[in-house]
Amino acid sequence: MANRRDFFKVAAIGSAAILAQGCSSISQNSKTMKLKKQTKILFQGDSITDGRRNRNSQGNPNDISGLGIWYPLQATGNLLVKYPQADLQIYNRGISGHGVKHLQDRWQADCVDMKPDILSILIGVNDFWHRAKADRGYFGTADSYDKGYDQLLAETVKALPDTKLIICEPFILKTGAVNDDWYPAFDGYRAAARKLAKKYNATFVPFQQMFDDACKLAEAKYWLYDGVHPSLAGSQLMAEKWMQTCFGC
Amino acid sequence: MANRRDFFKVAAIGSAAILAQGCSSISQNSKTMKLKKQTKILFQGDSITDGRRNRNSQGNPNDISGLGIWYPLQATGNLLVKYPQADLQIYNRGISGHGVKHLQDRWQADCVDMKPDILSILIGVNDFWHRAKADRGYFGTADSYDKGYDQLLAETVKALPDTKLIICEPFILKTGAVNDDWYPAFDGYRAAARKLAKKYNATFVPFQQMFDDACKLAEAKYWLYDGVHPSLAGSQLMAEKWMQTCFGC
């Protein structure tokens, strides 16, 4: 077991002012996660996590092209600056088009075998979306999403009992591909993710309310260009929310 | 002329807490820049600005692939979240391998004709580096860098008298491609950039001291993988310094 000296706090490394802005007080909060030397963080999910990442670089931690273009990249940049002494090892294994059943199929290789210290999952939008695409041959419901995700998480905590879990809320905005057909059905997927976060003692990142609030300031497509996938602004907002929720800064 | 109501301040748009963290007090400082509706920001420079940007997307403002992978991308993400009501238009025209003389050759099309409201330039490392590469046929000095840059800026303020200038300090760390041969010669390039920023009333972004400070916390290659080009951590640090210096947040 690591002792207290193994943990890094932003407040402790603030010798260069730029390296510690805005985090020092909140990072003392025991609800936020602590980082020990070489903490391994794994991002898992669908296209929103994938972000066209370069598979050839996926074995290199903290690699710009290996992290894709969206929130895992921006969150990693943030973490690497805030905790430069921690020698963090951050990976992305999101795959575009995936839902819970796809994660189940590849979980051993793409999660369990990697032994992450922190595992962040964002999954759910395809579990709904693909119901409408006959060629996908998938007709899941919020209930089957709930059951499958529950099973996946049960396996995860059994195989990786020391891994800290982060469950990100799936989200949409009514623009582009998202029309009235998504409501209220999609709410059930969001509710299931929130319920499972509580059940498995995971940190829950409430993205939907964040995007709803953001739409008071700029139109939906400013944040999610097609209602599902983030713009640069939306992705940055996700990374900031993820950092604030999980690390208090 | 825009009146006061046309300007956006972070403090004014803080209805969603996540959208305004850490900027509100400093953004009142009159030294930082103000943003009016549809402010056009242009990043200019060499490979560090270029960041393998997609030329096919360079005409689309705020485009992830068009902005490249380094500090212009991360700074833009930051700006788009901090000023969502401003409808900012941000472009990158950095080109890998370029020095001052290359900027002079393409300045009309890649800067003057674009009529930016804010112009941020980072140039200088190739003006030194290429002296050592015989196949480049270039043998400039700190003095010729100074004179060429001065001429470029004189042209710029004449053609674009209302454009706010940002001059970023060129920087290196002694690792990878950077050895003792770079010292103290490279100091002259840094000094010239600082002097010209003062002469042309530009905001100066002091990157060298920032990287020197950062090396107290992690080794040089953690920030600049070859002594010249940034890692994800180095790029994020640049973006944060750029934001803090120019926009106070």
Side-chain angles (χ1 to χ4, degrees), chain A residues 201-215:
Chain A
N201 197 29
T203 298
F204 182 70
V205 186
F207 281 137
Q208 185 63 57
Q209 187 64 53
M210 176 194 76
F211 278 119
D212 290 343
D213 286 346
C215 287

Side-chain angles (χ1 to χ4, degrees), chain A residues 13-19 21 52 62-65 67 69-70 72-74 76-85 87-88 210 213-214 216-218 222-223 230-237 240-241 244 249, chain B residues 13-19 21 52 62-65 67 69-70 72-74 76-85 87-88 210 213-214 216-218 222-223 230-237 240-241 244 249:
Chain A
I13 58 166
S15 62
I18 184 68
L19 298 175
Q21 48 176 330
R52 301 175 223 147
N62 315 331
D63 184 276
I64 290 184
S65 69
L67 288 165
I69 60 172
W70 285 328
L73 176 72
Q74 292 154 332
T76 299
N78 238 308
L79 283 168
L80 295 177
V81 164
K82 300 233 161 59
Y83 301 93
Q85 294 175 312
D87 191 17
L88 301 176
M210 176 194 76
D213 286 346
K216 297 171 190 162
L217 302 169
Y222 182 85
W223 305 107
S231 62
L232 176 53
S235 177
Q236 175 76 23
L237 195 61
E240 292 186 11
K241 186 71 175 177
Q244 203 175 52
C249 61
Chain B
I13 57 166
S15 62
I18 185 67
L19 299 175
Q21 49 176 329
R52 302 177 222 147
N62 317 330
D63 184 275
I64 290 184
S65 69
L67 287 165
I69 60 172
W70 285 328
L73 176 71
Q74 292 154 333
T76 299
N78 239 307
L79 283 168
L80 295 176
V81 164
K82 300 237 160 59
Y83 301 92
Q85 294 174 311
D87 191 18
L88 301 176
M210 175 194 77
D213 286 347
K216 297 170 191 162
L217 302 169
Y222 181 86
W223 305 106
S231 62
L232 176 53
S235 178
Q236 175 76 21
L237 195 61
E240 292 186 12
K241 186 70 175 177
Q244 203 175 51
C249 61

